Amino acid sequence: MSAFQPAPDPWGFDETPVETWADILGPQYLDLALLTAFIALAVYSFKRKTVALKYLTFAAAIGYMGFAKSYLISITNIFSIVDWSWPVVKYNLAWYLFFGFTVVSTILWGRLYCGRVCAYGALTQTLDAVIPRRWRVEVPKAIEQRAAWIKFGILFGVISYYIITRDVQIYQYVEPFWMFGLFGTPLLWTLLAVLLVATVFVRNLYCRFLCPVGATLGLMSYLTVFRIKRWSECNTCRICEKACEWGAIDGPKILVTECVRCDDCERLYADPKKCPHWRIIEYNDRKLAVLPLRPV
Amino acid sequence: MKRFGVLLLLLVSAGLVTLSAQTKRIFTNPRPEAHFKTLFPNAAGVSSFGGAPLHWKVYGADPKANPAAPPASAGELRRDKPIGYIFWTTDLVPNERAYHGPIHMLVGMDTRGILQGVVVDYNSEPYGYFSIDLPEFVARLKGKSVRDPFVVGKDIQAVSRASITMNGAARALRDASRSVAKAFLSPDQVK
């Protein structure tokens, strides 16, 4: 046996010329493991649809995905699509896992990323849970439905601006995700403070009306595979529509560009005490049970 | 029907973008001469841009020439013995990327394989402004040898939340500098 022996490298640089998988994965495995764990938690909490798991996921999203790692989908990733310019795959596996999960989950379930994975979305929903209900300003439905279009305008505007100027830094003025890196100029922090104060009164303000990433995921949500099931009673019932904090229900229709799969309505559907579909079935069952006693 | 339309739109867009990405040299700043003084303040002149790999050769002044005469007149350059090389990392490692595309770095290296300086001429990194755009970044690169590991966390200071940017820059510097060393220097020159 005479295997081909390449000439010994006279330079002897300490980098092996051919990287083994151990070399590539070594520095990345912890990142990959923790990210996989978070994704598993998010998907599990979504499947189980319990409130406790949802807030646990929010805590992990804010603490780990947000402040610790700053794993957030940003408008700069959409700029990368425009430029077709991506990080090197083999050195950035965790990033590709994160980005891939976002795309796949959006196609499967809609804006699940917004409702459960995005650290800012988690923050705004947690804020909403602790702020007294009295402070809340309910946006009239007519304004709400029109205001939802603003984020598409912002998306179109920012992408046009980027194509013309190639100024990546515009992202700082269009999204607040940089806050998790704790870096910003006094102007940016002031603008963020204004946004957060406004969010106290108009819940989920940024996500519903202003986020260009949410707008993009909303467009992709037209492909949603597993949609929220609706009953015939939904044509006239308004319980979920009133309960929805995202303005995503319009009579029998779920607006996929607005729905972030927060599951508040899905918990209502599953509740036999609340959803008319089950109450009617239960009422009919009780009626049937006494029917034989009536005279023929 | 709508679903199919959206999918088709996505695929067509992807196809168009991929088609337009031809293999050509990454366009860099066409007037980098302003940076040469930063990299080699004592140089008398540089060659024209060319060769394979693309580079400039840097020349010192001929010591036997008349010291009273103004320096850097072409006849006095020691063209047979360059004192160093200047190159774009994007020419040596065009496939290397950071977070959002390649970082255009102009590197000056002497004949001992020591980096004389680095200029970050252009990048589109969202987090560049607190990592590679800081003057501390290039200041720490001065004096590094091509034999150094160029590993973020070891001999290159890590910047929290800018890992992809820093790793991309470190890899580009390491691989580009080593390629130039292998092309123009011999292992004995580089300690």
Side-chain angles (χ1 to χ4, degrees):
Chain A
M1 73 122 212
S2 59
F4 169 69
Q5 291 286 346
D9 180 6
W11 286 94
F13 288 132
D14 51 24
E15 278 298 303
T16 47
V18 176
E19 287 166 319
T20 62
W21 276 108
D23 296 325
I24 295 170
L25 283 176
Q28 299 191 63
Y29 82 91
L30 185 63
D31 254 354
L32 279 166
L34 289 172
L35 180 62
T36 306
F38 173 78
I39 288 173
L41 172 64
V43 174
Y44 181 66
S45 80
F46 172 67
K47 287 289 181 192
R48 291 287 299 180
K49 301 196 192 302
T50 62
V51 176
L53 277 175
K54 184 161 90 161
Y55 283 99
L56 178 65
T57 310
F58 287 168
I62 296 169
Y64 180 68
M65 298 290 277
F67 286 111
K69 301 294 293 182
S70 281
Y71 274 132
L72 284 132
I73 302 293
S74 154
I75 190 77
T76 59
N77 302 127
I78 298 171
F79 294 162
S80 291
I81 299 176
V82 169
D83 290 333
W84 206 246
S85 177
W86 301 98
V88 177
V89 176
K90 68 178 175 182
Y91 298 122
N92 298 295
L93 297 169
W95 188 88
Y96 275 92
L97 174 62
F98 174 58
F99 196 84
F101 170 72
T102 301
V103 171
V104 169
S105 68
T106 304
I107 292 175
L108 290 180
W109 296 300
R111 279 176 72 182
L112 176 72
Y113 170 83
C114 299
R116 213 157 284 241
V117 175
C118 175
Y120 185 82
L123 180 69
T124 197
Q125 289 179 78
T126 307
L127 209 66
D128 188 53
V130 301
I131 286 170
R133 202 167 279 254
R134 299 175 264 123
W135 293 7
R136 199 173 286 152
V137 171
E138 292 296 342
V139 182
K141 205 157 181 65
I143 295 180
E144 188 180 73
Q145 287 183 333
R146 279 165 184 72
W149 284 96
I150 296 175
K151 57 182 183 288
F152 293 102
I154 292 178
L155 174 67
F156 180 76
V158 171
I159 293 183
S160 306
Y161 173 85
Y162 177 70
I163 289 176
I164 295 167
T165 64
R166 286 289 192 269
D167 174 23
V168 169
Q169 299 298 323
I170 188 69
Y171 79 89
Q172 295 174 316
Y173 295 96
V174 170
E175 56 189 32
F177 312 136
W178 47 265
M179 64 173 276
F180 293 102
L182 296 173
F183 52 83
T185 62
L187 171 64
L188 286 171
W189 286 117
T190 309
L191 291 173
L192 177 72
V194 170
L195 174 66
L196 288 174
V197 167
T199 307
V200 166
F201 300 105
V202 182
R203 57 188 170 186
N204 307 318
L205 170 69
Y206 180 76
C207 308
R208 290 165 74 187
F209 303 130
L210 300 173
C211 182
V213 175
T216 309
L217 295 177
L219 288 174
M220 287 166 62
S221 294
Y222 279 115
L223 299 167
T224 303
V225 176
F226 301 115
R227 300 193 180 225
I228 296 177
K229 200 210 292 263
R230 305 284 275 163
W231 310 117
S232 59
E233 288 83 355
C234 301
N235 286 326
T236 45
C237 177
R238 291 270 179 270
I239 294 177
C240 294
E241 189 174 318
K242 291 196 192 304
C244 177
E245 300 186 352
W246 298 82
I249 305 183
D250 184 21
K253 252 179 43 168
I254 305 265
L255 305 171
V256 289
T257 55
E258 306 307 308
C259 175
V260 299
R261 303 307 295 255
C262 72
D263 297 341
D264 283 351
C265 68
E266 290 200 78
R267 265 185 289 283
L268 281 171
Y269 297 144
D271 189 342
K273 297 266 184 295
K274 299 227 180 90
C275 179
H277 179 79
W278 304 117
R279 298 204 64 182
I280 289 172
I281 290 175
E282 191 240 353
Y283 172 79
N284 284 336
D285 283 347
R286 278 192 285 126
K287 200 161 89 164
L288 275 170
V290 300
L291 226 45
L293 296 177
R294 296 187 61 202
V296 173
Chain B
M1 192 56 215
K2 207 187 259 183
R3 261 186 244 199
F4 178 73
V6 173
L7 250 175
L8 189 66
L9 185 67
L10 282 171
L11 285 170
V12 167
S13 314
L16 283 173
V17 170
T18 319
L19 271 176
S20 64
Q22 310 291 333
T23 39
K24 40 183 190 264
R25 179 179 174 268
I26 292 173
F27 179 74
T28 52
N29 183 352
R31 307 217 64 95
E33 292 82 14
H35 299 312
F36 292 171
K37 269 267 165 279
T38 317
L39 301 174
F40 286 94
N42 297 322
V46 296
S47 69
S48 53
F49 187 53
L54 287 168
H55 67 287
W56 290 267
K57 288 190 178 53
V58 185
Y59 304 117
D62 188 339
K64 294 204 276 289
N66 183 356
S73 63
E76 289 163 10
L77 293 178
R78 290 295 311 269
R79 286 187 187 274
D80 54 329
K81 272 180 63 162
I83 62 169
Y85 301 87
I86 295 176
F87 51 93
W88 290 105
T89 53
T90 50
D91 286 329
L92 273 300
V93 282
N95 292 327
E96 188 57 74
R97 261 138 188 63
Y99 191 90
H100 187 234
I103 303 172
H104 298 200
M105 289 182 283
L106 197 63
V107 181
M109 189 172 80
D110 71 4
T111 50
R112 293 168 302 144
I114 308 284
L115 296 189
Q116 299 299 298
V118 174
V119 174
V120 178
D121 182 69
Y122 174 79
N123 73 86
S124 45
E125 299 294 289
Y127 291 172
Y129 69 96
F130 63 92
S131 57
I132 53 173
D133 286 331
L134 293 176
E136 295 91 83
F137 173 69
V138 291
R140 289 194 197 105
L141 293 168
K142 202 167 160 170
K144 290 186 80 61
S145 159
V146 294
R147 289 202 187 275
D148 287 347
F150 281 90
V151 172
V152 175
K154 271 208 257 172
D155 58 321
I156 305 242
Q157 194 162 11
V159 176
S160 176
R161 288 182 207 85
S163 311
I164 299 183
T165 299
M166 291 299 284
N167 277 292
R171 283 194 308 269
L173 286 164
R174 180 196 68 198
D175 296 337
S177 307
R178 289 183 179 182
S179 297
V180 170
K182 282 185 176 179
F184 300 117
L185 308 176
S186 74
D188 321 307
Q189 286 174 279
V190 177
K191 287 290 161 276

